[in-house]
Amino acid sequence: MPITLENVGIAVRDLEATIAFFTDLGLTVVGRDEVSGEWADTAVGLDGNHAKIAVLQTPDGHGQLELFEYIHPDAIETEPTLPNEIGMHRVAFSVDDIDESLAVAARHGCHPLRGVANYQGVYKLTYLRGPSGILVMLAQDLTKNPEDQPTGDS
């Protein structure tokens, strides 16, 4: 049976702020809507389900995020997910320039949890807290940019 990943859905506190964050990182809004009605109640399993949604796509066309802000029922605030909690906890992106991507994130008040790590000279990567507490991993493949490879001095 063939299976294809369509998107990753994320409930957010502020749809517009979250769209701004991810579009500044390079994603594109490919659709927006407001959904409600019996079909939405049935699909999601919530009575009176009413949400504003936006679908964003990565530049390569392979990845999509569906962001939704609940109008009804009220969104439930929870503590931000920790990296070691069971369940889905992060969305990861490959980036060409991690420093440039971190500068974009910083304009939205989002900074690495601890810093940028270098994994065996192959990847530079970090986790940061995005809008609504979303954990976002950014990773730069150093093998694609030989000038970013660490020297023997590092």
Side-chain angles (χ1 to χ4, degrees), residues 6-66:
E6 285 297 316
N7 63 54
V8 173
I10 305 172
V12 299
R13 186 176 300 115
D14 182 335
L15 185 63
E16 297 309 318
T18 309
I19 289 170
F21 173 79
F22 284 113
T23 57
D24 282 356
L25 281 177
L27 280 73
T28 304
V29 176
V30 294
R32 295 178 73 120
D33 204 355
E34 194 166 306
V35 297
S36 63
E38 187 178 330
W39 74 269
D41 293 359
T42 301
V44 177
L46 288 173
D47 290 334
N49 182 37
H50 186 183
K52 296 186 290 185
I53 65 170
V55 177
L56 287 74
Q57 186 164 319
T58 57
D60 65 3
H62 295 294
Q64 289 189 339
L65 296 179
E66 180 178 320

Side-chain angles (χ1 to χ4, degrees), residues 56-112:
L56 287 74
Q57 186 164 319
T58 57
D60 65 3
H62 295 294
Q64 289 189 339
L65 296 179
E66 180 178 320
L67 306 174
F68 40 96
E69 178 182 334
Y70 275 94
I71 297 166
H72 185 269
D74 290 339
I76 299 169
E77 288 287 338
T78 60
E79 291 296 317
T81 305
L82 298 174
N84 62 333
E85 286 184 34
I86 300 296
M88 195 174 108
H89 62 87
R90 70 159 166 76
V91 58
F93 295 98
S94 294
V95 296
D96 290 335
D97 183 332
I98 198 165
D99 295 325
E100 182 181 318
S101 297
L102 287 171
V104 169
R107 290 196 297 267
H108 292 269
C110 305
H111 304 281

